[in-house]
Every structure is written in structure tokens, then in C-alpha cells.
Amino acid sequence: MEMALALWKNLLQTTKKRILQQRRLSLYNGAHGYEEELIKKKLQQFSGGSINLSKKDNGIGILTLNNPKLMNAFTGTMMVELQERVTELENWKDGKGLIIHGAENTFCSGSDLNAVKEISNSQDGMYMCMFMQNTLTRLMRLPLISVALVQGKAFGGGAELTTACDFRLMTPGSEIRFVHKHMGLVPGWGGGARLVRIVGSGAALQLLAGAARVDPERALSLGLSQETLPSSDGTTALGQARTWLAQYTEGPTTVIRAVKNVVTAGRELPLEAALRTEKDIFGTVWGGPANLQALVRRPKHK
Ligand SMILES: CC[C@H](C(=O)O)C(=O)SCCNC(=O)CCNC(=O)[C@H](O)C(C)(C)COP(=O)(O)OP(=O)(O)OC[C@H]1O[C@@H](n2cnc3c(N)ncnc32)[C@H](O)[C@@H]1OP(=O)(O)O
């Protein structure tokens, strides 16, 4: 009986810690008038498609947006599943990198317009917006180097999702397009703020106000995409994206994760807070196994 009680207390503490940690990572909670359970229940009513995660032995996760009938548009259940997969990735201690792609050779056409129509009242809209901002902010802050592999079309919320990744790779003939203006909207999943930080305010204004088609060439010149992959075949392109990512994820897991955490701090925090965070992260690798082994090997960086 005592052991069961101790186990239960332990479980409670772990759960509390996890919830607190997630709250810290989330933008919105009850204090912002946000009721997550309410919107989750609503989103669950709009089903279809799935978000699949495959965690490879080399520390690379492959997240697949899977709703090809609707060009991988996000149904309500897919939004909830994305949150679940992000939680899974937060708890994946062996992870170093992540590739997000869409099933059947296209990325994502945004939110499912059938579901959107049903939640077009202002409270549901605000809650859905907060739900997706929370999820995509947690995705962006994962200690994994992330890549959006854009094949086919990344429209609306799909375009926004690409901006929550560290890098974007495009295949020939693919297109990123913030079509929100044509839907009488602005980005709401945090894609506007992130786009400004990626391409600058002038280019972001052109892409949003013009609902402009961004092909691989333009994306490269804007710095929105890092590379155009040679193949537009789904499987081949995924292999090429994995090879591209490997140049950044090769090495000890603790160090790769620490690198990403330093960049996240630098990207998001005011300078002094970022410097303090960098010091704390430095403390996690200084004198660690990879550092000690390197001191023995004394590599020359020629
Ligand atoms: C914050 C996010 C924001 C919001 O909700 O606030 C949004 O994301 S709004 C959604 C923005 N996205 C769109 O408006 C996309 C509209 N769709 C299209 O422009 C085209 O379907 C396109 C260009 C994605 C693909 O064109 P294509 O000719 O290649 O294929 P089809 O049009 O025949 O599409 C196949 C099939 O998929 C359905 N579809 C595509 N996108 C969506 C979507 N977002 N929601 C629901 N359904 C979608 C399309 O209607 C076709 O179905 P069918 O039954 O055959 O008509």
C-alpha cells in the first residue's frame, strides 16, 4: 500500500512537472482567457487524416501530414494530433533532427475549409488560433534541428507551418503561398511574425499583401528556402532532405541539442537573457563526454 502511494505521488509529481514545463513553453493558458479543453473538444468533431511520426535510430524524426484527399489540409483531429506528436518529440531524448513533409507529394493546403466554416465564430476562431500558436511555438522550440520539405503546395496554414521550422527545402515546381488575404484573413498560426523574422518586414509585406506565389527560385533569393532539391519525386526528395539535414545533425546528441537551444535563445530572448541562457547551456556540455574525448583527441580543424 505504501509503495503504491509512493508510486502515485511520484507519478503526480512527474505529471505536474511536465504540465508546468509545457505551460512554460506555451504562449497561452488560462490566464489569457484560453480554454484548451474546450477547443480540443470542438476540434475533435472535425475528423479525417492523421499526423504520423516515425522516430529513426539516427535521431531523425519524420513527421508526415497525411490527408491527401484534401491536399493534406488540417482537419480538427489533425490539429490535435499535431499537438500530441509535438509532446512526443519534446519527450524524445535521443532526437537531433526533424523533417516535416506531406503525404503523396504535396505539403499542406492549410486548414480544412469544411472545418473552418463550422468554427467561423469569433470565440472558436480565437481559441483555434491560440491552440495552433501554442503547438507551433513548441514545435519551433524543440531541441531538434527542423526542416520543412516543401513538395507541391504549402498554402495558408501550410505556409505558416513551414515558418515554424528552422529550415525550408523545396522541390522543383513546388510553391509556398500565404493565400490568407484571398480568404479575407491574415496569418493566425504565428506565420506572420515568424515570416518577418525570416525574410524581413518588406519582403514579408510583399508576400502577405500580394498573396504572392513563391517558387523555389524566389524562396532561395529571399532566404525563405535554403536549397532546391534536385528531385520532385516524393521518396527521392525525402532521401535528399535527410542527406541535407545530416550535415547539421552528425555528432553527439547532447551537443546538437545544445546548439539548437543556444540558437532558440538567441532568436527569441533579449540579449542579456540570451547570454545567460547560453551560459547555462554551455554548462551542460562543458566537461561532458564529447568535450573530454575531444580534449584527448585534440583534433586539428583544417
Ligand atoms: C490560419 C490558416 C488559414 C485559416 O484557416 O485561417 C488557412 O489555412 S485557410 C486555408 C487556405 N487554403 C486554401 O484556401 C486552399 C484552397 N485550395 C486550393 O487553392 C486548391 O485546392 C489547391 C491549390 C490547394 C490544390 O489545387 P489542385 O487543382 O491541385 O487540387 P484540387 O483543388 O482539385 O484539390 C483536391 C481536393 O482537395 C480539396 N482541398 C484542397 N485544399 C483544401 C482545404 N484547405 N480545405 C478543404 N479542402 C481542400 C479540394 O477542394 C479538392 O476536393 P474536391 O472534393 O475534389 O473538390
Side-chain angles (χ1 to χ4, degrees), residues 59 147 193 197 201 271 273 288 297:
V147 173
R197 281 160 178 76
S201 59
L271 185 60
R297 279 200 325 273

Side-chain angles (χ1 to χ4, degrees), residues 69-71 73 109-114 116 128 153 155-158 160 179-180 183 185 188-189:
K69 264 198 315 205
L70 303 185
M71 310 295 285
S109 63
S111 47
D112 174 0
L113 295 170
N114 310 303
V116 162
M128 186 276 288
K153 299 193 183 346
F155 277 19
E160 295 195 60
V179 294
H180 304 75
M183 299 301 298
L185 289 172
W189 295 0

Side-chain angles (χ1 to χ4, degrees), residues 153 155 175-178 207 210-215 218:
K153 299 193 183 346
F155 277 19
E175 187 182 329
I176 298 177
R177 193 168 178 198
F178 294 84
L207 299 192
R213 293 174 197 278
V214 187
D215 63 14
R218 186 166 182 195

Side-chain angles (χ1 to χ4, degrees), residues 12-83:
L12 195 71
Q13 255 180 348
T14 317
T15 313
K16 262 189 183 167
K17 210 171 131 191
R18 193 166 49 79
I19 290 171
L20 276 176
Q21 202 181 9
Q22 278 172 7
R23 277 217 193 118
R24 249 203 331 269
L25 292 166
S26 294
L27 282 178
Y28 306 107
N29 53 45
H32 303 96
Y34 171 55
E35 293 186 51
E36 180 163 295
E37 287 316 310
L38 228 145
I39 187 66
K40 263 174 104 164
K41 221 167 153 186
K42 196 60 160 275
L43 291 172
Q44 300 279 15
Q45 293 170 19
F46 307 104
S47 60
S50 61
I51 306 286
N52 308 114
L53 175 63
S54 159
K55 290 183 276 187
K56 308 290 180 199
D57 288 345
N58 62 355
I60 305 302
I62 310 284
L63 193 80
T64 307
L65 316 173
N66 185 23
N67 191 13
K69 264 198 315 205
L70 303 185
M71 310 295 285
N72 297 325
F74 266 91
T75 60
T77 49
M78 284 169 73
M79 292 183 195
V80 175
E81 278 187 35
L82 180 67
Q83 185 199 48

Side-chain angles (χ1 to χ4, degrees), residues 58-262:
N58 62 355
I60 305 302
I62 310 284
L63 193 80
T64 307
L65 316 173
N66 185 23
N67 191 13
K69 264 198 315 205
L70 303 185
M71 310 295 285
N72 297 325
F74 266 91
T75 60
T77 49
M78 284 169 73
M79 292 183 195
V80 175
E81 278 187 35
L82 180 67
Q83 185 199 48
E84 288 165 3
R85 298 295 94 81
V86 168
T87 303
E88 207 178 315
L89 288 165
E90 283 169 347
N91 294 325
W92 187 31
K93 300 299 172 223
D94 299 323
K96 296 199 265 187
L98 178 69
I99 297 175
I100 303 184
H101 75 139
E104 297 191 14
N105 235 352
T106 192
F107 189 75
C108 170
S109 63
S111 47
D112 174 0
L113 295 170
N114 310 303
V116 162
K117 210 168 138 206
E118 297 298 320
I119 58 165
S120 58
N121 69 78
S122 76
Q123 192 194 55
D124 286 345
M126 281 298 96
Y127 282 178
M128 186 276 288
C129 167
M130 290 192 261
F131 183 84
M132 287 305 286
Q133 282 199 13
N134 270 352
T135 303
L136 295 188
T137 302
R138 286 169 56 195
L139 173 73
M140 185 177 72
R141 291 176 178 167
L142 286 170
L144 310 174
I145 300 179
S146 57
V147 173
L149 166 57
V150 181
Q151 297 159 273
K153 299 193 183 346
F155 277 19
E160 295 195 60
L161 170 58
T162 72
T163 65
C165 293
D166 299 310
F167 301 117
R168 282 145 295 281
L169 299 175
M170 295 177 75
T171 60
S174 64
E175 187 182 329
I176 298 177
R177 193 168 178 198
F178 294 84
V179 294
H180 304 75
K181 182 182 96 166
H182 291 161
M183 299 301 298
L185 289 172
V186 295
W189 295 0
R194 290 188 298 267
L195 185 66
V196 168
R197 281 160 178 76
I198 296 168
V199 300
S201 59
L205 195 55
Q206 287 180 313
L207 299 192
L208 298 179
R213 293 174 197 278
V214 187
D215 63 14
E217 200 183 356
R218 186 166 182 195
L220 266 183
S221 73
L222 287 172
L224 182 58
S225 156
Q226 275 58 48
E227 199 160 305
T228 307
L229 297 175
S231 178
S232 49
D233 168 72
T235 317
T236 315
L238 184 56
Q240 288 164 348
R242 290 175 74 164
T243 305
W244 186 90
L245 179 58
Q247 64 185 313
Y248 303 113
T249 52
E250 256 161 31
T253 306
T254 46
V255 178
I256 307 300
R257 291 167 71 92
V259 168
K260 170 65 194 279
N261 286 336
V262 164

